[in-house]
Coordinates of all heavy atoms in Angstrom, one line a residue:
S55 N 4.3 -6.2 26.3 CA 4.1 -6.1 27.7 C 5.2 -6.8 28.4 O 5.8 -7.8 27.9 CB 2.8 -6.9 28.0 OG 2.6 -7.1 29.5
R56 N 5.7 -6.2 29.5 CA 6.8 -6.8 30.3 C 6.3 -6.7 31.8 O 5.8 -5.7 32.3 CB 8.2 -6.0 30.1 CG 8.7 -6.1 28.8 CD 9.2 -7.5 28.4 NE 9.8 -7.7 27.1 CZ 9.1 -8.1 26.0 NH1 7.8 -8.5 26.1 NH2 9.7 -8.0 24.9
E57 N 6.8 -7.7 32.5 CA 6.5 -7.9 33.9 C 7.8 -7.7 34.7 O 8.8 -8.3 34.4 CB 5.8 -9.2 34.3 CG 5.5 -9.3 35.7 CD 4.9 -10.6 36.1 OE1 4.4 -11.3 35.2 OE2 4.8 -11.0 37.3
S58 N 7.8 -6.9 35.7 CA 8.9 -6.9 36.6 C 9.0 -8.1 37.6 O 8.1 -8.4 38.2 CB 8.8 -5.6 37.5 OG 8.9 -4.4 36.7
F59 N 10.1 -8.8 37.5 CA 10.3 -9.9 38.4 C 11.0 -9.6 39.6 O 11.1 -10.4 40.5 CB 11.2 -11.0 37.5 CG 10.4 -11.6 36.4 CD1 10.9 -11.6 35.1 CD2 9.2 -12.3 36.6 CE1 10.2 -12.1 34.0 CE2 8.5 -12.8 35.5 CZ 9.1 -12.8 34.2
E60 N 11.4 -8.4 39.8 CA 11.9 -7.9 41.1 C 11.6 -6.4 41.0 O 11.3 -5.7 40.1 CB 13.4 -8.2 41.2 CG 14.2 -7.6 40.0 CD 15.7 -8.1 40.1 OE1 16.0 -9.3 40.1 OE2 16.6 -7.1 40.1
D61 N 11.9 -5.8 42.2 CA 11.7 -4.3 42.5 C 12.8 -3.8 41.6 O 14.0 -4.0 41.7 CB 11.8 -3.9 43.9 CG 10.6 -4.3 44.7 OD1 9.6 -4.7 44.1 OD2 10.8 -4.4 46.0
L62 N 12.4 -2.8 40.7 CA 13.4 -2.0 40.0 C 13.1 -0.5 40.0 O 12.0 0.0 40.3 CB 13.1 -2.4 38.4 CG 13.3 -3.9 38.0 CD1 12.8 -4.1 36.6 CD2 14.8 -4.2 38.1
K63 N 14.2 0.2 39.8 CA 14.1 1.7 39.8 C 14.8 2.2 38.5 O 15.9 1.9 38.2 CB 14.8 2.3 41.0 CG 14.5 3.8 41.0 CD 14.9 4.2 42.5 CE 14.7 5.8 42.5 NZ 14.7 6.4 43.9
F64 N 14.0 3.0 37.7 CA 14.6 3.7 36.6 C 14.4 5.2 36.8 O 13.4 5.8 36.8 CB 13.7 3.4 35.4 CG 13.7 1.9 34.9 CD1 12.7 1.0 35.3 CD2 14.9 1.3 34.3 CE1 12.6 -0.3 34.9 CE2 14.8 0.0 34.0 CZ 13.8 -0.9 34.3
G65 N 15.6 5.8 37.1 CA 15.6 7.2 37.4 C 14.7 7.5 38.7 O 15.0 6.8 39.8
N66 N 13.6 8.2 38.6 CA 12.7 8.5 39.7 C 11.5 7.6 39.7 O 10.6 7.7 40.5 CB 12.3 10.0 39.7 CG 13.5 10.9 39.9 OD1 14.4 10.6 40.6 ND2 13.4 12.1 39.3
I67 N 11.5 6.5 38.8 CA 10.3 5.7 38.7 C 10.6 4.4 39.3 O 11.6 3.8 39.0 CB 10.1 5.5 37.2 CG1 9.7 6.8 36.5 CG2 8.8 4.5 37.1 CD1 9.6 6.6 35.0
N68 N 9.7 4.0 40.3 CA 9.9 2.7 40.9 C 8.8 1.7 40.2 O 7.7 2.0 40.1 CB 9.5 2.9 42.4 CG 10.4 3.6 43.3 OD1 11.7 3.4 43.1 ND2 10.0 4.6 44.1
N69 N 9.5 0.7 39.9 CA 8.6 -0.5 39.3 C 8.7 -1.6 40.4 O 9.6 -2.4 40.5 CB 9.2 -0.9 38.1 CG 8.9 0.0 36.9 OD1 8.0 0.8 37.0 ND2 9.6 -0.1 35.9
P70 N 7.5 -1.8 41.0 CA 7.6 -3.0 42.1 C 7.5 -4.4 41.3 O 7.0 -4.4 40.3 CB 6.3 -2.7 43.0 CG 5.4 -1.8 42.1 CD 6.3 -1.1 41.2
K71 N 8.0 -5.3 42.1 CA 7.8 -6.6 41.5 C 6.4 -7.0 41.1 O 5.5 -6.7 42.0 CB 8.4 -7.6 42.7 CG 8.3 -9.1 42.2 CD 8.8 -10.0 43.2 CE 8.6 -11.5 42.7 NZ 9.2 -12.4 43.7
G72 N 6.2 -7.6 40.0 CA 4.9 -8.0 39.5 C 4.1 -6.9 38.8 O 3.0 -7.2 38.2
L73 N 4.7 -5.7 38.6 CA 4.1 -4.7 37.8 C 4.3 -5.0 36.4 O 5.4 -5.4 35.9 CB 4.8 -3.3 38.1 CG 4.3 -2.1 37.3 CD1 3.0 -1.8 37.8 CD2 5.3 -1.0 37.2
N74 N 3.2 -4.9 35.6 CA 3.2 -5.0 34.2 C 3.3 -3.7 33.5 O 2.6 -2.7 33.8 CB 1.9 -5.7 33.6 CG 2.0 -7.3 34.0 OD1 2.9 -7.8 33.4 ND2 1.1 -7.7 34.7
V75 N 4.2 -3.6 32.6 CA 4.4 -2.3 31.9 C 4.1 -2.6 30.4 O 4.6 -3.5 29.8 CB 5.9 -1.8 31.9 CG1 6.1 -0.5 31.1 CG2 6.4 -1.5 33.3
W76 N 3.1 -1.9 29.9 CA 2.6 -2.0 28.4 C 3.0 -0.9 27.6 O 3.0 0.3 28.0 CB 1.0 -2.1 28.5 CG 0.5 -3.2 29.1 CD1 0.4 -3.4 30.6 CD2 -0.1 -4.3 28.6 NE1 -0.1 -4.6 30.9 CE2 -0.5 -5.2 29.7 CE3 -0.3 -4.9 27.3 CZ2 -1.1 -6.4 29.6 CZ3 -1.0 -6.0 27.1 CH2 -1.4 -6.8 28.2
T77 N 3.7 -1.2 26.4 CA 4.2 -0.1 25.6 C 3.5 -0.2 24.3 O 3.5 -1.3 23.5 CB 5.7 -0.3 25.4 OG1 6.4 -0.2 26.6 CG2 6.2 0.9 24.5
M78 N 2.8 0.8 23.9 CA 2.1 0.9 22.5 C 3.2 1.3 21.5 O 3.8 2.3 21.6 CB 1.0 1.9 22.5 CG -0.2 1.5 23.3 SD -1.2 0.1 22.6 CE -1.8 1.0 21.0
F79 N 3.3 0.3 20.5 CA 4.4 0.7 19.5 C 4.0 2.0 18.7 O 5.0 2.7 18.5 CB 4.4 -0.5 18.4 CG 5.0 -1.8 19.0 CD1 4.4 -3.0 18.7 CD2 6.1 -1.8 19.8 CE1 5.0 -4.1 19.1 CE2 6.7 -2.9 20.2 CZ 6.1 -4.1 20.0
L80 N 2.8 2.2 18.4 CA 2.5 3.4 17.6 C 2.9 4.7 18.4 O 3.2 5.7 17.8 CB 1.0 3.5 17.3 CG 0.6 2.4 16.1 CD1 -0.9 2.7 15.8 CD2 1.5 2.7 14.9
T81 N 2.7 4.6 19.8 CA 3.1 5.7 20.6 C 4.6 6.1 20.4 O 5.0 7.3 20.2 CB 2.9 5.6 22.0 OG1 1.6 5.1 22.2 CG2 3.2 6.6 22.9
L82 N 5.4 5.1 20.3 CA 6.8 5.3 20.1 C 7.1 5.6 18.6 O 8.0 6.5 18.3 CB 7.6 4.1 20.5 CG 7.6 3.7 21.9 CD1 8.3 2.4 22.2 CD2 8.2 4.8 22.8
H83 N 6.5 4.9 17.7 CA 6.8 5.0 16.3 C 6.3 6.2 15.6 O 6.7 6.6 14.5 CB 6.3 3.7 15.5 CG 7.0 2.5 15.8 ND1 6.6 1.3 15.2 CD2 8.0 2.2 16.7 CE1 7.4 0.4 15.7 NE2 8.3 0.8 16.6
Y84 N 5.4 6.9 16.2 CA 4.8 8.2 15.8 C 5.3 9.5 16.6 O 4.8 10.6 16.4 CB 3.3 8.2 15.6 CG 2.8 7.3 14.5 CD1 3.0 6.0 14.5 CD2 2.3 8.0 13.4 CE1 2.4 5.3 13.4 CE2 1.8 7.3 12.3 CZ 1.9 5.9 12.3 OH 1.4 5.2 11.2
D85 N 6.1 9.2 17.5 CA 6.5 10.3 18.4 C 7.4 11.4 17.7 O 8.5 11.0 17.2 CB 7.3 9.7 19.6 CG 7.5 10.8 20.7 OD1 7.9 12.0 20.4 OD2 7.4 10.4 21.9
Q86 N 7.0 12.6 17.5 CA 7.7 13.7 16.8 C 9.1 14.0 17.5 O 10.0 14.5 16.9 CB 6.9 14.8 16.6 CG 5.7 14.5 15.6 CD 4.9 15.6 15.3 OE1 5.0 16.6 15.8 NE2 3.9 15.5 14.3
D87 N 9.1 13.8 18.8 CA 10.4 14.2 19.6 C 11.4 13.1 19.2 O 12.6 13.4 19.3 CB 10.1 14.1 21.0 CG 9.3 15.4 21.5 OD1 9.2 16.3 20.9 OD2 8.6 15.2 22.6
I88 N 11.0 11.9 18.9 CA 12.0 10.9 18.5 C 12.3 10.9 17.0 O 13.4 10.8 16.7 CB 11.5 9.5 18.9 CG1 11.2 9.5 20.5 CG2 12.3 8.3 18.5 CD1 10.4 8.2 21.0
W89 N 11.3 10.9 16.2 CA 11.3 10.7 14.8 C 11.4 12.0 13.9 O 11.6 12.1 12.7 CB 10.2 9.8 14.3 CG 10.3 8.5 14.8 CD1 9.6 8.0 15.9 CD2 11.1 7.3 14.4 NE1 9.9 6.7 16.2 CE2 10.7 6.3 15.2 CE3 12.0 7.2 13.3 CZ2 11.5 5.0 15.1 CZ3 12.6 6.0 13.2 CH2 12.3 4.8 14.1
G90 N 11.0 13.2 14.5 CA 11.0 14.4 13.9 C 9.6 14.8 13.5 O 8.6 14.0 13.7
P91 N 9.5 16.1 13.1 CA 8.1 16.6 12.7 C 7.4 15.8 11.6 O 6.1 15.9 11.5 CB 8.3 18.0 12.3 CG 9.9 18.1 11.9 CD 10.5 17.0 12.7
D92 N 8.1 15.0 10.8 CA 7.6 14.2 9.8 C 7.3 12.8 10.3 O 7.3 11.9 9.4 CB 8.3 14.3 8.6 CG 9.8 13.9 8.7 OD1 10.2 13.5 9.9 OD2 10.6 14.0 7.8
A93 N 7.1 12.5 11.5 CA 7.0 11.2 12.1 C 5.8 10.4 11.4 O 5.8 9.1 11.3 CB 6.8 11.3 13.6
H94 N 4.8 11.1 10.9 CA 3.6 10.5 10.4 C 3.7 10.2 8.8 O 2.8 9.7 8.3 CB 2.3 11.3 10.6 CG 1.9 11.4 12.0 ND1 1.1 10.5 12.7 CD2 2.4 12.3 13.0 CE1 1.0 10.7 14.0 NE2 1.7 11.9 14.2
D95 N 4.8 10.7 8.2 CA 5.1 10.5 6.9 C 5.9 9.2 6.5 O 6.7 8.9 7.4 CB 5.8 11.7 6.3 CG 5.0 13.0 6.4 OD1 3.8 13.0 6.7 OD2 5.6 14.1 6.6
F96 N 5.6 8.8 5.3 CA 6.4 7.6 4.8 C 7.7 8.1 4.3 O 7.8 8.8 3.2 CB 5.6 6.9 3.7 CG 6.4 5.7 3.1 CD1 6.5 4.5 3.7 CD2 6.7 5.8 1.7 CE1 7.2 3.5 3.2 CE2 7.4 4.7 1.1 CZ 7.6 3.5 1.8
K97 N 8.8 7.9 4.9 CA 10.2 8.4 4.6 C 11.2 7.2 4.8 O 11.9 7.3 5.8 CB 10.5 9.7 5.4 CG 9.6 10.8 5.0 CD 10.1 12.1 5.8 CE 11.4 12.5 5.1 NZ 12.0 13.7 5.6
P98 N 11.3 6.4 3.9 CA 12.3 5.3 4.1 C 13.7 5.7 4.3 O 14.5 5.0 4.9 CB 12.1 4.4 2.8 CG 10.7 4.7 2.4 CD 10.5 6.2 2.7
E99 N 14.0 6.9 3.8 CA 15.4 7.4 4.0 C 15.8 7.4 5.4 O 17.0 7.6 5.7 CB 15.6 8.6 3.2 CG 14.8 9.9 3.7 CD 13.5 10.0 3.0 OE1 12.9 9.0 2.4 OE2 12.9 11.2 3.1
R100 N 14.9 7.5 6.3 CA 15.2 7.5 7.7 C 16.1 6.4 8.1 O 17.0 6.4 9.0 CB 14.0 7.2 8.6 CG 12.9 8.3 8.6 CD 11.8 7.8 9.6 NE 10.5 8.4 9.2 CZ 10.1 9.5 9.4 NH1 10.9 10.3 10.1 NH2 8.9 10.0 9.0
F101 N 16.0 5.2 7.3 CA 16.7 4.0 7.7 C 17.9 3.8 6.8 O 18.4 2.7 6.6 CB 15.8 2.7 7.5 CG 14.7 2.7 8.7 CD1 13.5 3.4 8.4 CD2 15.1 2.3 9.9 CE1 12.5 3.3 9.4 CE2 14.1 2.3 11.0 CZ 12.9 2.8 10.7
A102 N 18.4 5.0 6.0 CA 19.5 4.8 5.2 C 20.8 4.3 5.9 O 21.6 3.7 5.3 CB 19.8 6.1 4.5
N103 N 20.8 4.5 7.2 CA 22.0 4.1 8.0 C 21.7 3.1 9.0 O 22.1 3.0 10.1 CB 22.6 5.3 8.7 CG 23.3 6.4 7.8 OD1 23.9 6.0 6.8 ND2 22.9 7.7 8.0
G104 N 20.6 2.2 8.6 CA 20.1 1.1 9.4 C 19.2 1.7 10.5 O 18.9 2.9 10.6
I105 N 18.8 0.8 11.4 CA 18.0 1.2 12.5 C 18.7 2.0 13.5 O 18.1 3.0 13.9 CB 17.4 -0.1 13.2 CG1 16.5 -0.9 12.3 CG2 16.7 0.1 14.5 CD1 16.0 -2.3 12.9
S106 N 19.9 1.8 13.7 CA 20.6 2.6 14.7 C 20.8 4.1 14.3 O 21.0 4.9 15.1 CB 22.1 1.9 15.0 OG 22.8 1.9 13.8
G107 N 20.7 4.4 13.1 CA 20.8 5.7 12.5 C 19.6 6.4 12.1 O 19.5 7.4 11.6
S108 N 18.4 5.7 12.5 CA 17.1 6.1 11.9 C 16.5 7.3 12.8 O 15.7 8.0 12.2 CB 16.2 4.9 12.0 OG 16.0 4.4 13.3
C109 N 16.9 7.4 14.0 CA 16.1 8.5 14.8 C 17.0 8.8 16.1 O 18.1 8.1 16.3 CB 14.8 8.0 15.3 SG 14.8 6.6 16.3

Side-chain angles (χ1 to χ4, degrees):
S55 173
R56 296 291 182 261
E57 179 182 349
S58 295
F59 292 122
E60 59 187 56
D61 291 342
L62 299 171
K63 186 169 182 168
F64 297 103
N66 295 328
I67 301 171
N68 289 314
N69 286 340
K71 179 180 178 181
L73 178 75
N74 283 301
V75 177
W76 296 73
T77 303
M78 291 286 296
F79 290 140
L80 288 182
T81 304
L82 295 174
H83 291 184
Y84 282 72
D85 189 319
Q86 293 183 351
D87 290 335
I88 296 169
W89 297 95
D92 54 4
H94 294 270
D95 299 336
F96 179 71
K97 293 186 69 178
E99 63 268 22
R100 291 179 213 281
F101 293 94
N103 296 314
I105 291 175
S106 62
S108 62
C109 64

